[in-house]
Amino acid sequence: MSIERLFTTGSLRPEDMVLPKEASIMEDGSNSDLQVPENWSLEAADSFRESLCKKVPVEISLVEENTVPSWLWARRAREKTAFKVETNANEVFSRIAGAATYRGWKAGLWGSEIEASIFYDEVKAILLTRRVVFSPKSMALMGLDWAYGQETIPDTQGTKSHFDTLVLQNETIDSILSHAEPTARNKWSRFCETSRNTESTSIAFADTLTQWNTLPCPTCAPRAQINLLAFRQMDGSLDLTGLQQTTRLAVLLMELHEDVWQWKKEPTRPLALSFGNLSSLLMSLALPYDSCAARTTAAALASIITGTATLTSAQLAEKKGSCPSFATQREAIIRSLRNRVRACFGEENDYEHLSVTPQTIRIDSGADLVLISAARHISELALDKVQKHGLRHLQTTSLFTDFSFSPLLDSSAQGTEAEASLTRDYAQDDSRFARCAHPAVSLGMKKLGYDAVDRAAIREHLTGARTLVAAPWVNRTYLKEKGFDDARLDRIEESLSQISHLKQAFTPWALGLDFCRNSLKVPANRLKDLRFDVLHHLGFLAREISAASTFCCGHRSTRGALELKEKEHEIFATREDLSPESQIRMGAAVQPFIDGETNLTLSIPAAVVAQVRGDLILMAWKMGLKNMSLRLDGLPVEKHEEHPVMQLMKRRTTSSRTKVPLRTTPKKKKPALSDVTAQKQEKARASISLKPRSRTGSEKRRG
C-alpha cells in the first residue's frame, strides 16, 4: 500500500517540525518536564500525561529479525532495569507509529523500506499536529508490546449508554401521521407526555437503519476523531488532500493495532471514525450553520471521509482478505454504496430499497465546487474497489460524542454539534485560567473583510473588558462609596479574567470575612449562608448584576456586538441561538454519507410541550435520520462529564507535584486598557449612570 509524503519531508523528522513546550512535571517530581508541541493547550498536555504516558523500562534491548529493517526491530526490557514514566509526546507517538509500521511490514503492506519509513513519519506527523486523535484509553496501550515488550490488556468497557430507547418502525409512524389507528396515536401521545420526565431518550428509526445496512457498533470498536479545523488553510481553502491522507492513515492505524481493541472475533470488524470541530470550520469559512451551503459542505466532507475510509478498507481486503461477514452481506453493502453515490450526485429518486429519500449534495447550494467534485470522485472510486475486492471492515465511520476526546482536540463540539460558546477557558497553572475568543471567530471575521480594530472589538465583546471602570451599575465609583478602597478594587479587577460571572469576585471568601462584617456591615449569621449574595446586599438588581457581569466577563456570543453586521450574526451562532430544527437539518444532510450511526443529540428545554417534542422526532424521521436523542434541559442530572478545565483545575489543585512555570520570560506588567475598551468607557460614561437607580417598594420586596 503506497503512502506518499505530504506532511513530512525526507530530510526533516516529524518531531522537528513542531516546537516543543515544557508543560508540567510528573506527580512524583522525579521526572523531566513533559514535552509536547508548543501549540498544545495545558488541558491537552495534562490530559495527554494522565491518559497516555505509561510507566516503561529505562533500559531496553533489540530483538533482531533478519527479514525486518533494524530500525523496526521490536524492543524488550532488560533484566533488573528501572522504570520511568514517558515524558515526551514524541516517545508516545513513536511507539504508536513504530508498532503499526512493524506490523504492516510483517503483513506485507509496504513495498519497500522507503514506503515503511514514509508511513512511520506521516503517522507521527498527524498525531503530533492532532489532525486525528484516537481514544485516549486505546492510545495509552498502542505499541507497548513492540516498544517495551509489555503485554497489552485492552479496555473492553467502552462507552455505556443510559438512554431509554424508543424503536420506531415506518408502519408505526405512518399510523401516527395518518391518525388511522387511534391506539397508535394514543400510545404516541403518552410517550411524548411521559418523556418530559426523562432526562435523555434515544430514538431509533429501525427501517431506516436496516435499509442503509447500519449495524450496531460494539463498544470494542476502534474510535478516532478527525479534527476538521486543522484542514483549513490560511487562504480560507480546505486541504482536501491532507484530509484524505489523514483518513487513510487513521484506518491503517486502527487495523494494524487490532490487538488494542480485540475485535478479531467480531465478524464485521467495525471501525468508528468520527470528526470534530465541524461547526468551528463552518464559522471560519463564514458559512452560517443553518444554511444550505453549510449543510452541503458538511455532507461533502463526510462523504470524503467515509469514501476514503471505505476505499482504504477495500485495499486492505485486497491484501489481507475481506471480513467474515462481507460475503453474506455483500448485496446490501453494494446497494448502500450505490445509494450514497446517487446522493453525492444530487439525485432525487431512483434509490434502491429506501423508504425515505435522503438529503443530497446540491451543486447549486453555494458550497465549494472543488469540494463537491472531490466527494463525488472518491465515492465512485470506493464503490468500484469494493465491488472488486470486498471490505475489510463493514463499517468505517460513525458519529459519536465522547468527552475524553475534548481536551486532546481542544474541542467541545463533536460530530454535527454546534459550538456551545464562542470563548474557551484555558488553564494556566494550578488555580488560574485565561479566557480567549474561539479562533474560528477571528478567521471568519477576517474572511468577511473586517479589519483588525473590529476583530479586536468583537474579541473583547466575547471575553469581557475585565475592568470595573465604566462598567454599568457595578463600578469603581459606586463601590468606593460602599467602603471599597483602591487596593481591594485592584485585586477584584485582577480576578476578572479568572471568573465566569461577576458574583464570583464578590463572595465573602474572596472579599474577606472581616471586610464584609466591618465595612459592608454584613450580619455574621448571613456570612455562613452559602447562598448569600454580596452584590444583592449592596442594593443591585439581578438585571443590573447581569449587565455588569457580561461587560466585565464577556458575552460569550456575538449577541449585542455593534461592530458586526446584523445579517452576519448567524455565521457566529452558538447552540443556544440555533433551533432544534436547524440541528436536525444538519444531521440529516450528513447522515447518508456516514455508514454507521449518527447519534444526533438535541438539547431542548424541559418546559417544551409534548406536541413539539413529538414533532421534532417525526421531522427527524421524515428527513432520513437513522437515530437521535432528546436531552431535556432543566431536569436533575444523575451524573454528567465535568468541563475539562474544571477537571484539570481540580486535579492540579489537589496534586502534590512540583510546580514549574510554563514560560521562562519575566511576567509582564498589566497592560494598559485597549483603545477599544477606552472608547467603550467614554460611551458608557456618557450614557450610563455610575450609581444604581433607587428601587421602588415592589422591587425591594421582590429582592
Side-chain angles (χ1 to χ4, degrees), residues 465-476:
R466 304 177 189 182
T467 177
L468 292 171
V469 178
W473 309 107
V474 185
N475 50 67
R476 294 183 73 105

Side-chain angles (χ1 to χ4, degrees), residues 163-185:
F163 296 156
D164 296 325
T165 303
L166 172 69
V167 179
L168 291 176
Q169 305 281 348
N170 286 354
E171 183 180 358
T172 304
I173 296 177
D174 289 338
S175 299
I176 294 170
L177 293 175
S178 63
H179 299 271
E181 294 185 18
T183 303
R185 188 70 191 182

Side-chain angles (χ1 to χ4, degrees), residues 405-420:
F405 284 81
S406 297
L408 290 174
L409 280 177
D410 284 330
S411 168
S412 61
Q414 303 179 31
T416 60
E417 291 178 340
E419 285 292 339

Side-chain angles (χ1 to χ4, degrees), residues 269-489:
R269 297 178 67 85
L271 308 179
L273 181 60
S274 184
F275 52 76
N277 275 327
L278 169 65
S279 57
S280 301
L281 175 65
L282 297 175
M283 198 179 297
S284 73
L285 298 174
L287 296 176
Y289 181 92
D290 189 20
S291 67
C292 190
R295 289 189 287 272
T296 301
T297 299
L301 289 170
S303 179
I304 290 173
I305 292 172
T306 299
T308 304
T310 303
L311 177 61
T312 306
S313 181
Q315 291 170 337
L316 283 168
E318 182 181 4
K319 291 278 187 180
K320 304 177 69 175
S322 298
C323 65
S325 294
F326 179 77
T328 59
Q329 300 192 43
R330 185 182 190 279
E331 182 181 350
I333 292 169
I334 299 299
R335 182 173 63 244
S336 296
L337 289 174
R338 286 198 295 263
N339 284 334
R340 191 168 295 132
V341 171
R342 292 186 179 98
C344 253
F345 280 82
E347 294 188 16
E348 299 296 334
N349 44 42
D350 294 332
Y351 289 93
E352 302 177 57
H353 298 281
L354 290 184
S355 55
V356 179
T357 303
Q359 306 301 303
T360 63
I361 294 179
R362 295 175 49 186
I363 200 170
D364 60 346
S365 63
D368 185 2
L369 296 181
V370 175
L371 176 65
I372 295 175
S373 176
R376 292 178 171 180
H377 176 66
I378 196 67
S379 64
E380 288 185 311
L381 286 179
L383 173 60
D384 180 66
K385 198 72 171 178
V386 172
Q387 287 175 325
K388 292 178 180 178
H389 303 291
L391 276 173
R392 185 70 174 168
H393 319 90
L394 288 198
Q395 173 185 300
T396 56
T397 54
S398 175
L399 300 187
F400 58 86
T401 299
D402 186 337
F403 292 110
S404 67
F405 284 81
S406 297
L408 290 174
L409 280 177
D410 284 330
S411 168
S412 61
Q414 303 179 31
T416 60
E417 291 178 340
E419 285 292 339
S421 171
L422 297 185
T423 60
R424 291 179 174 178
D425 295 334
Y426 292 110
Q428 297 296 296
D429 54 34
D430 281 352
S431 59
R432 299 174 66 84
F433 66 88
R435 180 171 299 113
C436 303
H438 196 297
V441 176
S442 291
L443 292 172
M445 292 191 67
K446 192 171 183 179
K447 188 172 181 66
L448 291 170
Y450 286 89
D451 58 26
V453 175
D454 286 336
R455 295 200 300 271
I458 293 295
R459 286 195 298 271
E460 186 173 285
H461 177 85
L462 296 173
T463 61
R466 304 177 189 182
T467 177
L468 292 171
V469 178
W473 309 107
V474 185
N475 50 67
R476 294 183 73 105
T477 300
Y478 180 72
L479 292 173
K480 280 185 178 181
E481 294 180 1
K482 284 294 185 180
F484 288 80
D485 55 22
D486 286 328
R488 195 172 300 275
L489 290 173

Side-chain angles (χ1 to χ4, degrees), residues 113-126:
E113 186 175 345
I114 294 178
E115 285 188 8
S117 65
I118 292 175
F119 173 79
Y120 175 83
D121 289 345
E122 291 289 293
V123 166
K124 284 185 65 176
I126 64 171

Side-chain angles (χ1 to χ4, degrees), residues 572-588:
F572 305 100
T574 61
R575 204 174 302 164
E576 184 181 348
D577 303 319
L578 295 166
S579 66
E581 291 83 357
S582 66
Q583 298 174 62
I584 291 176
R585 286 190 287 268
M586 178 61 77

